[in-house]
Amino acid sequence: MESYLQLFLLLFLSYLTGSIPTSIILGKLVKGIDIREHGSGNAGGTNVFRVLGWKPALIVVIIDVFKGWLPTAVYSTMLFDNLPIPDVGVLQILCGFAAVLGHTYTIFAGFRGGKGIGTLAGMLIALFPIAFPLCLLAFIITLILTGYVSLSSIMATVSLPIFLMILPLIGIEQSSLSLLIFALFVPWFAIYTHRSNIVR
C-alpha cells in the first residue's frame, strides 16, 4: 500500500512541476497581461514570442523544457525506492507525461495551459538523449522550409520513432521496448494538442 502511495505522490509532484504556468507568470510580470487573452490565446513559448518578444519567450522555453526533464530524469529515479513499477523506463514515461499534462492542463490557471511541446521536449531529452538532437534537426529544417512552428513540432515528433528504428542499424544501442512503444504515441499527442492549428 505504501508503495502505491509513493507512486501517487511521485506522479502528483510531476504534475505540479509541469503545472507551473511559466508563460502566464511572465505575461503578468512583463506586461501585466494574461497571455491567453492575446495573440493565438495559447499559453506557450510561441505565443509569448509573438506578444512579448524573444527574451521572455526564451525564458519560457527553457523553464518549460526543464519542467519536463526534471520529473523524467530525476524524480523517477531518485525520490522513492520499492515502487510498484519495476521498469524504470515506464516510470520515467509516467512522470514525464504527468508533467506534460500539468503544463497542458495546469491546476494553477483553470486547467488552461499551453500545448505541452516544450515540456514534452524536456521529457524526450531525458528519455532519448541521442535521438532528440536528430528530432530537433527535423524541427529546424521544417521550420526553415515552412515557417510554421506547429507543423515543425509535429514533424519532430513523427521523426522520433523513425530515428529510434534507424539508430540500432548504425550500432547505437536500441531503446527498451517500453520507450519504443511510447515513441509511437508521441506524434499523436502532438497532433491532438495542435488540432486547432491544423484546422486553421
Side-chain angles (χ1 to χ4, degrees):
M1 189 68 180
E2 183 181 347
S3 62
Y4 285 98
L5 177 60
Q6 288 183 345
L7 177 61
F8 171 78
L9 291 174
L10 184 64
L11 296 179
F12 187 62
L13 178 61
S14 300
Y15 170 81
L16 288 180
T17 301
S19 283
I20 298 169
T22 321
S23 59
I24 297 173
I25 293 171
L26 260 290
K28 297 284 187 184
L29 291 176
V30 174
K31 255 189 178 178
I33 62 172
D34 186 339
I35 196 70
R36 297 170 298 177
E37 297 174 358
H38 299 268
S40 67
N42 178 52
T46 303
N47 198 35
V48 171
F49 175 75
R50 292 193 191 107
V51 177
L52 302 178
W54 72 268
K55 290 181 181 178
L58 182 61
I59 295 171
V60 166
V61 169
I62 291 172
I63 295 175
D64 284 353
V65 168
F66 183 71
K67 290 190 317 188
W69 178 87
L70 184 64
T72 310
V74 179
Y75 293 177
S76 63
T77 57
M78 296 185 179
L79 286 190
F80 294 114
D81 295 320
N82 303 317
L83 290 169
I85 300 175
D87 187 331
V88 176
V90 172
L91 196 58
Q92 287 181 298
I93 291 168
L94 290 175
C95 288
F97 197 66
V100 174
L101 284 178
H103 177 86
T104 309
Y105 305 102
T106 169
I107 195 173
F108 300 120
F111 299 98
R112 284 181 56 219
K115 290 184 168 64
I117 293 300
T119 308
L120 179 63
M123 177 185 180
L124 297 180
I125 290 171
L127 293 176
F128 309 107
I130 297 175
F132 181 81
L134 300 174
C135 296
L136 183 60
L137 182 62
F139 174 91
I140 293 170
I141 292 172
T142 307
L143 184 62
I144 291 171
L145 293 177
T146 69
Y148 290 107
V149 174
S150 55
L151 178 60
S152 304
S153 300
I154 292 169
M155 290 305 297
T157 58
V158 168
S159 70
L160 174 62
I162 297 172
F163 287 133
L164 290 179
M165 287 185 284
I166 292 173
L167 287 174
L169 299 178
I170 57 175
I172 296 175
E173 186 178 353
Q174 186 171 353
S175 299
S176 66
L177 180 61
S178 58
L179 294 183
L180 286 173
I181 292 172
F182 168 74
L184 294 173
F185 286 97
V186 172
W188 296 106
F189 178 81
I191 291 169
Y192 176 77
T193 57
H194 285 88
R195 61 193 182 281
S196 59
N197 301 76
I198 295 169
V199 169
R200 286 198 300 272

